[in-house]
Amino acid sequence: MLNNILRFQQSLDKRKAEGTLRRLRLQSEGVDFHSNDYLGFAQNKELQNILLQKVIENPQMLSGSTGSRLISGNSDVANSVEHFIAQQHHFESALLFPSGYNANLALFSTLPSRHDTVIVDEQIHRSVHDACQLSNAKKLKFKHNDLEDLENVLKRQEGHCYIAIESLYSMEGDFAPLQEIAAIAERYKASLIVDEAHAFGVFGYGLIEKYELQKQVSAAVVTYGKALGAHGAAILCSETVKSYLVNFASPFIYTTSAQDFQWISIKSGYEFLDQNIELSKKLQDNIRIFRSQNLDSPSAETSPVQAILIPDNQKLKTVQDTLSEEGFLTYAIYSPTVKEGSERLRICLHSFNTEQEIMKLTEIIKEFM
Ligand SMILES: Cc1ncc(COP(=O)(O)O)c(C=O)c1O
């Protein structure tokens, strides 16, 4: 153990020396340009009061579920919220999870068998990589959003392939060419799985709904910890895939279900989203203001995640520190987390940011360009 502790300490010291040591900090005061609360739902008093009222009517929903959903932890609420979600997204069925990480872990550790290949976009979320480590399938990467490379990888495979993409990428803030990838998946008889974590809520119910691709994807993941200001996730899929996951997905089976309050807050989030579509319009107005400042960014015009390339760890740190001193909270991504030369400041825009805040933020950044 002593040797291990030494090794742990050496790794931590190395990170500290590189300036990449992670620490648990309390939420800092400042203008929020870093959270995923794109529509401000996590601080919306009206939504909080709706939830409070539901708790007062049924305080039992705050209590623990008492077990796995396969033993004592299932409830009418969980079943009916899943039914509601499936209907909203025009999928045959839905399966709830306590988080998006767990949903991806369940999907990719369970669906692909040892003879299959999972082909992931090189920018796919860490949860998919972790899930693949739990599976017996082979994992290959294709270049980010590169259709030709995806086809080249697909052509070389013999068994069944799964393609894993995000509809809106969380670090780059760009969209996947969803329709084109769906067509390729169809041509190669591959199963397409789409993570809608950052698109859901910002673009209605997500981009699969927008482009009506339900029949062309084997499963989609929507998460509720971002635009919905709640917590949890759902896998949208067919009845057969849901039943297969309920039977074989360890991350679903061997864990205590979340309490009903989590499922109720998700349903309330959907209803609140429908009643407040002006918030996503306000968010788009703010994104337009930000984009009008012409900073160097690989992100899409309408994305709430805007990455600003500052390709030098030291300079990036100075920009972020200066912004922080001026009261702006942003997130810097250093190499080696991203490739050297593509270090970036990740800016998240929200419906509640003001024009003045956005202009001041961009003004400071521009001073370093
Ligand atoms: C693309 C993507 N998928 C999945 C997740 C995980 O979702 P959750 O935070 O609900 O576990 C995240 C969150 O970081 C994400 O960005």
Side-chain angles (χ1 to χ4, degrees):
M1 189 60 189
L2 194 60
N3 277 346
N4 272 338
I5 294 287
L6 273 176
R7 179 170 61 79
F8 299 159
Q9 197 54 56
Q10 278 165 359
S11 302
L12 292 169
D13 291 345
K14 184 163 173 275
R15 282 212 158 165
K16 197 168 180 188
E18 290 165 353
T20 55
L21 186 70
R22 292 173 167 137
R23 285 194 189 93
L24 290 172
R25 298 172 206 273
L26 287 177
Q27 181 73 17
S28 331
E29 289 286 314
V31 183
D32 180 0
F33 281 111
H34 71 173
S35 83
N36 297 318
D37 187 22
Y38 301 122
L39 302 175
F41 279 22
Q43 46 176 297
N44 189 298
K45 296 276 179 285
E46 198 186 331
L47 181 55
Q48 285 166 7
N49 280 327
I50 291 170
L51 295 176
L52 193 58
Q53 199 50 44
K54 290 192 191 284
V55 169
I56 290 167
E57 282 162 21
N58 178 14
Q60 179 62 38
M61 71 168 76
L62 288 178
S63 299
S65 72
T66 77
S68 161
R69 283 187 66 193
L70 285 165
I71 304 177
S72 59
N74 199 25
S75 67
D76 277 347
V77 171
N79 286 342
S80 70
V81 172
E82 281 176 344
H83 184 67
F84 167 83
I85 292 170
Q87 279 192 328
Q88 296 299 304
H89 289 270
H90 302 103
F91 270 82
E92 226 174 83
S93 69
L95 185 62
L96 283 164
F97 283 83
S99 75
Y101 184 92
N102 279 278
N104 275 336
L105 210 59
L107 261 182
F108 290 94
S109 66
T110 311
L111 299 192
S113 77
R114 67 174 65 251
H115 309 293
D116 298 340
T117 307
V118 184
I119 306 174
V120 306
D121 184 290
E122 64 184 351
Q123 300 268 346
I124 200 80
H125 191 259
R126 177 70 190 210
S127 49
V128 175
H129 292 290
D130 290 358
C132 289
Q133 283 193 0
L134 289 178
S135 126
N136 293 313
K138 176 167 77 173
K139 183 189 83 181
L140 296 170
K141 290 185 195 170
F142 70 97
K143 288 191 199 127
H144 179 52
N145 277 347
D146 187 328
L147 299 174
E148 209 180 306
D149 196 42
L150 170 61
E151 280 212 65
N152 282 337
V153 179
L154 274 164
K155 267 181 208 151
R156 294 198 301 269
Q157 309 314 314
E158 282 176 359
H160 185 73
C161 292
Y162 288 81
I163 302 171
I165 59 169
E166 292 175 32
S167 54
L168 172 62
Y169 284 89
S170 61
M171 289 295 150
E172 210 80 358
D174 58 351
F175 296 107
L178 247 190
Q179 288 146 303
E180 289 85 346
I181 292 182
I184 290 175
E186 212 158 28
R187 203 158 353 111
Y188 286 85
K189 298 189 173 34
S191 303
L192 177 59
I193 299 186
V194 184
D195 183 334
E196 294 242 66
H198 294 270
F200 174 68
V202 172
F203 302 99
Y205 285 173
L207 299 172
I208 292 171
E209 170 77 13
K210 181 174 172 192
Y211 298 124
E212 298 178 6
L213 292 171
Q214 286 89 341
K215 294 266 172 318
Q216 279 144 283
V217 303
S218 299
V221 173
V222 279
T223 71
Y224 303 121
K226 303 183 197 301
L228 216 64
H231 195 217
I235 294 176
L236 312 170
C237 54
S238 64
E239 284 291 353
T240 310
V241 169
K242 175 172 174 174
S243 181
Y244 190 74
L245 291 168
V246 167
N247 277 276
F248 296 105
S250 291
F252 176 82
I253 301 168
Y254 299 103
T255 187
T256 300
S257 170
Q259 63 221 128
D260 279 349
F261 178 71
Q262 186 170 350
W263 313 139
I264 288 287
S265 62
I266 289 167
K267 180 155 189 251
S268 304
Y270 272 87
E271 289 160 357
F272 200 72
L273 189 63
D274 288 347
Q275 289 153 12
N276 291 277
I277 44 171
E278 74 285 354
L279 291 175
S280 48
K281 291 191 183 126
K282 182 76 180 59
L283 170 60
Q284 286 302 325
D285 289 344
N286 285 344
I287 298 168
R288 260 191 300 278
I289 295 170
F290 182 87
R291 292 289 301 195
S292 71
Q293 295 309 297
N294 292 322
L295 292 163
D296 184 14
S297 168
S299 307
E301 283 289 329
T302 56
S303 165
V305 177
Q306 293 286 327
I308 305 299
L309 296 175
I310 306 177
D312 171 347
N313 274 352
Q314 203 46 53
K315 186 167 164 190
L316 178 57
K317 185 161 180 2
T318 313
V319 178
Q320 197 201 14
D321 287 349
T322 310
L323 284 167
S324 165
E325 280 157 24
E326 296 285 335
F328 294 103
L329 306 173
T330 57
Y331 183 65
I333 311 163
Y334 300 99
S335 55
T337 302
V338 287
K339 274 187 220 137
E340 216 178 306
S342 66
E343 295 84 354
R344 76 234 1 231
L345 193 64
R346 184 173 180 267
I347 311 269
C348 291
L349 291 147
H350 307 97
S351 55
F352 54 83
N353 293 135
T354 65
E355 178 167 1
Q356 204 185 6
E357 287 165 356
I358 299 168
M359 294 308 285
K360 182 74 188 158
L361 173 93
T362 52
E363 203 178 286
I364 298 170
I365 298 171
K366 278 181 182 174
E367 280 168 21
F368 292 90
M369 298 309 203

